[in-house]
Every structure is written in structure tokens, then in C-alpha cells.
């Protein structure tokens, strides 16, 4: 009997008490007990679905046309480190490549969890094999983990017509998953240039985006609201110094320049070499490859932000740059 318990524990990862009671109620028929546990697991999982799932992982998959980023959430970091959870996240990202993005190059589009829930997937993890829908797989994994596990939506970003789509995952326990993602498309004007240097800089820039947290691509992209709020704050700070209006204007101007350096990607100092900003870096790269290289789009996503972003951009409305 202890051998049956051990086998069923290995197959299902269910708590030992649940395993034993399923075996007893099924007259020690291991297949029937496994089915019974799955039925019960679904009930257990649905009870847990009201609990907040703010931990988790981002999973990334890419082909020559696009990259997709999917967020899978759980309640604790402990579950996020589990190999079944990680395997599910990776499988979800691969399936999400089926989600249609924009037809335009270098466009990032958010998608809601509902886009994936009914997709059928094949799993090849020892404890999660065969075909099932995304929704059922998530429910099963939630039952195994004893936690609320939920899909947090994602993004699809299309590749440039000429150039590279570069990605970087931070705090990455294995290839394809991490806690923070940086993605950008680098567009190259001339189709005959070698992309080696562009790929190298693209990889560094994806890391830069994760570290430097830009909010906008260019100064022109800074929203009137963001600029107005920042100007008001800086002006009231400057006015408290009691200096002349002309001096205050100069102070505000200087501090706004600093603000742009903090939040605008093109104005930020490059983390790999802070003697240049990103604008200069791209000018130098363009000279090196003999063709204009520019950033078509970028995205920075952190675990826990996916849902907030989806709410901010209203479901599946195309997002032309990181908000």
C-alpha cells in the first residue's frame, strides 16, 4: 500500500492525506484514484481562485515574425520556482505564438488571458502529459501546487521588416522565463547590411531597458499629462528657493532635461557605457553598419504589471509603445 501511495504522489504531487483517501475510496485502484484526485483537485483549485496571485513568471517565445510574452501568476515565489509551473509557463508562451499580432512591423499589442484559455496544448512534463486546454492545464497545476494559479495576459510584438527583434529576461531560472522582460525592435534601412553588430547592440539595449526603466521612446512621446505634472512639481520646488523668475525658469529647464534623461529611452545614458546616450549609440551603430538604424518600438514588463497594463490600454487595443 505504501508503494501505491508513493506512486500516486509522484504522479500527481497531491498532498499525502488526499492521495491516501482517494486510494481508499477507489479500493486501491491507482488509475481510478488518479481520476478521483483530478476531480477533487479541480474543486480545490476553484476554491483557491479568489486568492491574490501576484507572484509568478514571464515566459517568452519568438519566431522570425514576432516575439510573445505571457505572464503566469501564482501566490508565492516558492511555486514560481517549481519545474511544473515553469514548464506550463514555457508551453503557454509557445502556444501564444498562434495569437495574431498586428500586421504592421514593430508594433506591440497586448492580449487578454481569454485569448489563450481555450487553446489546446500538448504537454510533455512527467506530471502533465497529453493534450488539454490552457484553462484545464492551469486548473490542474493549481491543484498540484495548492495555490491560485492564473494567466495574466501578455503582449505580442512584431519584428521589423528589416532588422532585429531583441529580447532579454532578467532573474531567469532557465531559458525563456524570467521576472522582468526587455524587448525592442531595431529597424535597419538598408536590407543588404550585415546584422551582426545590430544584434550585439540589440541584446545590450534589451538589458538596458530592463535596468533603466524607460517610459517613452523619444521626448516627443512624453505625454502632455506626464510633462505637465513634472513641470508643476519642479516649478513649485524651484519657487520655494525664493529666486528670481528668470532663475526659476532656468532651474526648471535644467531639471526637465534631467527628467527626460531618466524616462526617455533616446535620452538615457547607456548602462554599458555611460559616456554616451542611446541616441549617440544608435548614430555610432548606423555609421558602423553603413545604414540608418533606429528603434521601432520597445517594451518593458515586470511580473505583476501585466494586468495593470492591460487595464491601462483597454483590453486588446494596439499599444504602439511601452506605456
Amino acid at each position: 500500500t505504501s508503494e501505491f501511495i508513493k506512486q500516486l504522489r509522484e504522479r500527481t504531487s497531491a498532498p499525502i492525506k488526499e492521495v491516501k483517501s482517494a486510494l481508499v475510496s477507489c479500493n486501491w485502484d491507482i488509475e481510478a484514484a488518479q481520476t478521483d484526485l483530478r476531480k477533487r483537485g479541480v474543486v480545490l483549485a476553484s476554491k483557491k481562485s479568489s486568492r491574490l496571485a501576484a507572484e509568478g513568471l514571464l515566459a517568452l517565445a519568438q519566431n522570425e515574425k514576432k516575439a510573445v510574452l505571457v505572464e503566469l501568476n501564482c501566490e508565492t515565489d516558492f511555486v514560481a520556482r517549481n519545474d511544473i509551473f515553469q514548464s506550463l509557463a514555457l508551453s503557454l508562451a509557445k502556444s501564444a505564438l498562434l495569437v495574431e499580432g498586428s500586421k504592421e512591423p514593430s508594433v506591440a499589442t497586448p492580449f487578454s488571458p481569454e485569448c489563450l484559455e481555450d487553446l489546446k496544448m500538448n504537454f510533455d512534463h512527467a506530471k502533465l502529459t497529453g493534450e488539454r486546454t490552457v484553462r484545464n492545464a492551469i486548473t490542474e497545476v493549481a491543484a498540484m501546487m495548492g495555490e491560485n494559479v492564473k494567466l495574466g495576459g501578455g503582449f505580442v510584438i512584431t519584428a521589423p521588416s528589416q532588422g532585429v527583434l531583441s529580447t532579454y529576461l532578467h532573474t531567469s531560472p532557465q531559458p525563456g522565463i524570467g521576472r522582468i522582460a526587455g524587448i525592442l525592435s531595431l529597424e535597419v534601412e538598408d536590407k543588404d547590411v550585415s546584422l551582426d553588430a545590430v544584434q550585439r547592440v540589440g541584446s545590450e539595449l534589451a538589458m538596458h531597458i530592463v535596468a533603466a526603466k524607460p517610459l517613452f521612446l523619444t521626448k516627443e512621446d512624453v505625454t502632455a499629462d506626464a510633462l505637465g505634472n513634472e513641470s508643476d512639481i519642479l516649478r513649485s520646488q524651484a519657487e520655494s528657493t525664493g529666486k528670481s523668475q528668470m532663475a526659476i525658469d532656468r532651474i526648471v529647464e535644467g531639471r526637465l532635461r534631467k527628467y527626460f534623461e531618466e524616462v526617455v529611452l533616446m535620452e538615457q545614458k547607456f548602462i554599458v557605457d555611460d559616456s554616451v546616450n542611446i541616441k549617440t549609440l544608435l548614430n555610432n551603430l548606423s555609421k558602423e553598419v553603413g545604414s540608418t538604424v533606429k528603434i521601432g518600438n520597445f517594451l518593458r514588463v515586470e511580473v505583476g504589471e501585466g494586468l495593470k497594463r492591460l487595464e491601462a490600454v483597454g483590453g486588446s487595443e494596439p499599444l504602439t509603445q511601452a506605456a
Side-chain angles (χ1 to χ4, degrees), residues 218-237:
T218 65
K219 283 203 275 199
E220 292 69 40
D221 292 325
V222 178
T223 59
D225 279 357
L227 197 54
N229 287 345
E230 195 61 26
S231 298
D232 290 348
I233 293 164
L234 295 176
R235 187 160 293 282
S236 58
Q237 285 172 353

Side-chain angles (χ1 to χ4, degrees), residues 4 20-30 32-33:
F4 278 151
K20 195 169 178 187
S21 79
L23 282 164
V24 168
S25 65
C26 296
N27 282 329
W28 298 90
D29 176 334
I30 200 160

Side-chain angles (χ1 to χ4, degrees), residues 30-101:
I30 200 160
E31 297 301 329
Q34 186 171 345
T35 306
D36 183 51
L37 273 176
R38 279 180 63 183
K39 284 181 190 162
R40 277 201 251 171
V42 169
V43 175
L44 288 172
S46 54
K47 275 187 199 161
K48 296 179 184 82
S49 64
S50 58
R51 300 206 302 243
L52 186 67
E55 279 294 329
L57 286 169
L58 299 168
L60 178 80
Q62 198 172 349
N63 59 24
E64 61 287 347
K65 293 195 176 130
K66 61 188 163 190
V68 291
L69 194 66
V70 175
E71 182 167 349
L72 186 64
N73 297 113
C74 53
E75 293 171 56
T76 63
D77 179 45
F78 179 74
V79 163
R81 293 198 301 268
N82 182 287
D83 69 320
I84 302 174
F85 183 86
Q86 293 182 3
S87 172
L88 174 62
L90 285 166
S91 299
L92 285 169
K94 288 189 185 98
S95 298
L97 282 169
L98 299 170
V99 173
E100 280 300 317

Side-chain angles (χ1 to χ4, degrees), residues 104-293:
E104 298 295 312
S106 303
V107 172
T109 313
F111 57 84
S112 63
E114 292 75 40
C115 292
L116 296 184
E117 281 179 344
D118 295 321
L119 278 181
K120 280 198 161 51
M121 294 164 62
N122 269 306
F123 291 90
D124 57 1
H125 188 280
K127 291 179 181 172
L128 195 68
T129 53
E131 190 186 73
R132 46 178 67 63
T133 62
V134 168
R135 185 188 283 111
N136 289 349
I138 288 172
T139 305
E140 270 184 64
V141 170
M144 286 180 199
M145 300 295 120
E147 276 195 17
N148 180 13
V149 173
K150 62 197 275 193
L151 194 51
F155 292 87
V156 52
I157 180 164
T158 50
S161 43
Q162 282 156 207
V164 299
L165 192 57
S166 301
T167 62
Y168 171 70
L169 285 164
H170 188 62
T171 325
S172 175
Q174 58 166 301
I177 49 179
R179 284 190 56 84
I180 312 173
I183 306 177
L184 83 153
S185 82
L186 278 178
E187 299 176 343
V188 183
E189 203 170 90
D190 184 348
K191 65 175 186 298
D192 297 322
V193 300
S194 161
L195 293 178
D196 293 352
V198 182
Q199 268 161 343
R200 186 192 74 241
V201 173
S203 299
E204 291 175 340
L205 275 172
M207 284 166 71
H208 170 96
I209 286 164
V210 165
K213 305 181 183 176
L215 299 175
F216 307 98
L217 179 55
T218 65
K219 283 203 275 199
E220 292 69 40
D221 292 325
V222 178
T223 59
D225 279 357
L227 197 54
N229 287 345
E230 195 61 26
S231 298
D232 290 348
I233 293 164
L234 295 176
R235 187 160 293 282
S236 58
Q237 285 172 353
E239 280 167 355
S240 68
T241 61
K243 292 184 175 167
S244 71
Q245 198 55 50
M246 196 186 284
I248 286 169
D249 287 346
R250 271 204 307 275
I251 290 168
V252 171
E253 196 181 313
R255 287 182 184 169
L256 265 182
R257 209 166 33 244
K258 185 98 181 73
Y259 169 72
F260 286 137
E261 278 179 23
E262 282 169 12
V263 300
V264 174
L265 180 55
M266 293 298 277
E267 307 298 321
Q268 286 180 336
K269 287 188 164 49
F270 186 32
I271 54 156
V272 177
D273 172 8
D274 64 8
S275 69
V276 293
N277 66 10
I278 303 303
K279 194 188 286 175
T280 308
L281 175 78
L282 289 176
N283 287 341
N284 294 345
L285 177 63
S286 299
K287 284 180 198 143
E288 186 186 337
V289 300
S291 172
T292 304
V293 181

